[in-house]
Amino acid sequence: MNKQITANRPETALVLSGGGARAAYQVGALRGIAMALDKDSPNPFHIISGTSAGAMNAVGLATHAHKFRTGVKMLEYVWRNMSSQTVYKLDSVGLVSSASNWVFSVLANRKKAGTPTSLLDNSPLEKLLHEVLRLERIAENMAAGFFNSLVVTASGYTSGESVSFFQSSKPIENWSRPHRVGIRTEIRHRHLLASAAIPTLFPAVKINREYFGDGAIRQLAPLSPAIHMGAERILAIGVSGSRTRRPSKGEQITQPSLSQIVGHVLNSAFVDTLESDMSALRRYNRLIGICSGHPDVDVRPIQLLEITPSLDLNRIAEDYYETLPRSIRLFIRDTNSSSIASLLMFEKDYCQALMDLGIADALAKREQIQEFFLR
């Protein structure tokens, strides 16, 4: 039997960060969460917030908020049957040509008619989203009380702002903070495509008067949209690509390749902001405890539980490097560019490995998860 969220429970938010193919890890973590809770438990989240590929997982859950476990199973099915050709076109000649024309146009600081605006054509992803996501269910599930808010964040190329598009059954007004705004709207497929438009790799998406790209870019406070929506506790699932590592003694140090540099920049955008924002929230919670009772302090602590990879996802990507399409391997050219590989490796075996890791990491926190939701 379907169950609604209990009204007197603390407002609980799920925050899913971005990271291309790494988002398969989130699906495994969600499976682990479902396993840690009672089988007939309702959707445990009032607020669902996602960025980049995490936004796709977020919307998938929102369309199945009436049956949480069914939503997780749907996401598992999609990711288990994922491949690069379901996300972007695999034309090796076209890719090399696009890359050459694109680089030339950048270096020459001019754009000819027909010059590609991205290295990859992600029209297959748009087709997939239309096939698997019934967006009309979002409003239906909100009206039925299965959850109340959905947030999808993208980055505006003209304004330079992090824009959180939100759909909610609550009377929440648009907000504006330095470099980040919230806009009430009806979430559509174009919001997902915009949120997941990895810079240079996928084309920007026009929404109203502005073009948007991947939401992880310039998202300095990825937890803030959920807090704006009224979250009192947050469960965040990150997809950190690589754990901090210094070169070992005697390791050969070489000049980084272009793909390594691009990978480093993208990895920073997809990883560092969530980790630093969670660290900042923990500090604020400690300070609130010290300042509680002061008449001029009107703040509230926010309970936080994180699930993040216990293993290096970039290293896992290296193990599956040969499963990448030949056109992508020719473009990347060296296995040291594992950051880009981990973003674009929408291959079945790699995605399954990440889902398995997500399940294990979530179940390792089974008691914390149960305590988190039972408080």
Side-chain angles (χ1 to χ4, degrees), residues 6-17:
T6 305
N8 59 4
R9 280 178 47 204
E11 288 271 308
T12 303
L14 172 67
V15 174
L16 302 175
S17 63

PDB file of all heavy atoms in Angstrom, residues 6-17:
ATOM      1  N   THR A   6       4.773  11.269   6.698  1.00  0.00           N
ATOM      2  CA  THR A   6       4.109  11.737   7.913  1.00  0.00           C
ATOM      3  C   THR A   6       4.351  13.228   8.093  1.00  0.00           C
ATOM      4  O   THR A   6       5.495  13.689   8.059  1.00  0.00           O
ATOM      5  CB  THR A   6       4.631  10.968   9.144  1.00  0.00           C
ATOM      6  OG1 THR A   6       4.468   9.567   8.909  1.00  0.00           O
ATOM      7  CG2 THR A   6       3.858  11.367  10.381  1.00  0.00           C
ATOM      8  N   ALA A   7       3.274  13.973   8.303  1.00  0.00           N
ATOM      9  CA  ALA A   7       3.361  15.433   8.340  1.00  0.00           C
ATOM     10  C   ALA A   7       4.231  15.948   9.477  1.00  0.00           C
ATOM     11  O   ALA A   7       4.887  16.978   9.348  1.00  0.00           O
ATOM     12  CB  ALA A   7       1.959  16.027   8.436  1.00  0.00           C
ATOM     13  N   ASN A   8       4.263  15.251  10.609  1.00  0.00           N
ATOM     14  CA  ASN A   8       4.995  15.768  11.762  1.00  0.00           C
ATOM     15  C   ASN A   8       6.462  15.351  11.783  1.00  0.00           C
ATOM     16  O   ASN A   8       7.162  15.634  12.749  1.00  0.00           O
ATOM     17  CB  ASN A   8       4.308  15.340  13.065  1.00  0.00           C
ATOM     18  CG  ASN A   8       4.215  13.815  13.210  1.00  0.00           C
ATOM     19  OD1 ASN A   8       4.739  13.081  12.361  1.00  0.00           O
ATOM     20  ND2 ASN A   8       3.571  13.348  14.268  1.00  0.00           N
ATOM     21  N   ARG A   9       6.929  14.676  10.742  1.00  0.00           N
ATOM     22  CA  ARG A   9       8.354  14.332  10.673  1.00  0.00           C
ATOM     23  C   ARG A   9       9.167  15.544  10.254  1.00  0.00           C
ATOM     24  O   ARG A   9       8.679  16.400   9.518  1.00  0.00           O
ATOM     25  CB  ARG A   9       8.565  13.209   9.663  1.00  0.00           C
ATOM     26  CG  ARG A   9       8.243  11.818  10.190  1.00  0.00           C
ATOM     27  CD  ARG A   9       8.436  10.790   9.093  1.00  0.00           C
ATOM     28  NE  ARG A   9       9.699  10.989   8.408  1.00  0.00           N
ATOM     29  CZ  ARG A   9       9.944  10.574   7.158  1.00  0.00           C
ATOM     30  NH1 ARG A   9       8.995   9.990   6.472  1.00  0.00           N
ATOM     31  NH2 ARG A   9      11.111  10.768   6.604  1.00  0.00           N
ATOM     32  N   PRO A  10      10.421  15.638  10.705  1.00  0.00           N
ATOM     33  CA  PRO A  10      11.271  16.753  10.259  1.00  0.00           C
ATOM     34  C   PRO A  10      11.406  16.738   8.738  1.00  0.00           C
ATOM     35  O   PRO A  10      11.461  15.675   8.115  1.00  0.00           O
ATOM     36  CB  PRO A  10      12.621  16.456  10.942  1.00  0.00           C
ATOM     37  CG  PRO A  10      12.288  15.565  12.085  1.00  0.00           C
ATOM     38  CD  PRO A  10      11.118  14.743  11.650  1.00  0.00           C
ATOM     39  N   GLU A  11      11.450  17.939   8.149  1.00  0.00           N
ATOM     40  CA  GLU A  11      11.602  18.045   6.700  1.00  0.00           C
ATOM     41  C   GLU A  11      12.964  17.456   6.300  1.00  0.00           C
ATOM     42  O   GLU A  11      14.011  17.965   6.690  1.00  0.00           O
ATOM     43  CB  GLU A  11      11.514  19.507   6.276  1.00  0.00           C
ATOM     44  CG  GLU A  11      10.132  20.094   6.363  1.00  0.00           C
ATOM     45  CD  GLU A  11       9.335  19.890   5.071  1.00  0.00           C
ATOM     46  OE1 GLU A  11       9.833  20.227   3.995  1.00  0.00           O
ATOM     47  OE2 GLU A  11       8.203  19.383   5.175  1.00  0.00           O
ATOM     48  N   THR A  12      12.903  16.380   5.539  1.00  0.00           N
ATOM     49  CA  THR A  12      14.115  15.638   5.178  1.00  0.00           C
ATOM     50  C   THR A  12      14.405  15.800   3.700  1.00  0.00           C
ATOM     51  O   THR A  12      13.519  15.619   2.863  1.00  0.00           O
ATOM     52  CB  THR A  12      13.957  14.146   5.517  1.00  0.00           C
ATOM     53  OG1 THR A  12      13.647  14.007   6.907  1.00  0.00           O
ATOM     54  CG2 THR A  12      15.229  13.384   5.212  1.00  0.00           C
ATOM     55  N   ALA A  13      15.656  16.139   3.364  1.00  0.00           N
ATOM     56  CA  ALA A  13      16.035  16.370   1.976  1.00  0.00           C
ATOM     57  C   ALA A  13      17.067  15.357   1.517  1.00  0.00           C
ATOM     58  O   ALA A  13      17.937  14.930   2.285  1.00  0.00           O
ATOM     59  CB  ALA A  13      16.584  17.781   1.802  1.00  0.00           C
ATOM     60  N   LEU A  14      16.959  14.988   0.255  1.00  0.00           N
ATOM     61  CA  LEU A  14      17.979  14.185  -0.418  1.00  0.00           C
ATOM     62  C   LEU A  14      18.703  15.101  -1.382  1.00  0.00           C
ATOM     63  O   LEU A  14      18.076  15.771  -2.208  1.00  0.00           O
ATOM     64  CB  LEU A  14      17.327  13.030  -1.183  1.00  0.00           C
ATOM     65  CG  LEU A  14      18.258  12.211  -2.090  1.00  0.00           C
ATOM     66  CD1 LEU A  14      19.282  11.434  -1.258  1.00  0.00           C
ATOM     67  CD2 LEU A  14      17.446  11.259  -2.973  1.00  0.00           C
ATOM     68  N   VAL A  15      20.032  15.141  -1.305  1.00  0.00           N
ATOM     69  CA  VAL A  15      20.840  15.968  -2.197  1.00  0.00           C
ATOM     70  C   VAL A  15      21.766  15.056  -2.993  1.00  0.00           C
ATOM     71  O   VAL A  15      22.562  14.308  -2.419  1.00  0.00           O
ATOM     72  CB  VAL A  15      21.663  17.014  -1.412  1.00  0.00           C
ATOM     73  CG1 VAL A  15      22.608  17.762  -2.353  1.00  0.00           C
ATOM     74  CG2 VAL A  15      20.733  17.996  -0.705  1.00  0.00           C
ATOM     75  N   LEU A  16      21.632  15.115  -4.315  1.00  0.00           N
ATOM     76  CA  LEU A  16      22.430  14.287  -5.212  1.00  0.00           C
ATOM     77  C   LEU A  16      23.322  15.196  -6.060  1.00  0.00           C
ATOM     78  O   LEU A  16      22.824  16.023  -6.818  1.00  0.00           O
ATOM     79  CB  LEU A  16      21.518  13.449  -6.120  1.00  0.00           C
ATOM     80  CG  LEU A  16      20.532  12.517  -5.407  1.00  0.00           C
ATOM     81  CD1 LEU A  16      19.606  11.849  -6.420  1.00  0.00           C
ATOM     82  CD2 LEU A  16      21.287  11.462  -4.597  1.00  0.00           C
ATOM     83  N   SER A  17      24.624  15.044  -5.908  1.00  0.00           N
ATOM     84  CA  SER A  17      25.560  15.904  -6.629  1.00  0.00           C
ATOM     85  C   SER A  17      25.766  15.411  -8.052  1.00  0.00           C
ATOM     86  O   SER A  17      25.214  14.391  -8.466  1.00  0.00           O
ATOM     87  CB  SER A  17      26.901  15.947  -5.887  1.00  0.00           C
ATOM     88  OG  SER A  17      27.482  14.656  -5.850  1.00  0.00           O
TER      89      SER A  17
END
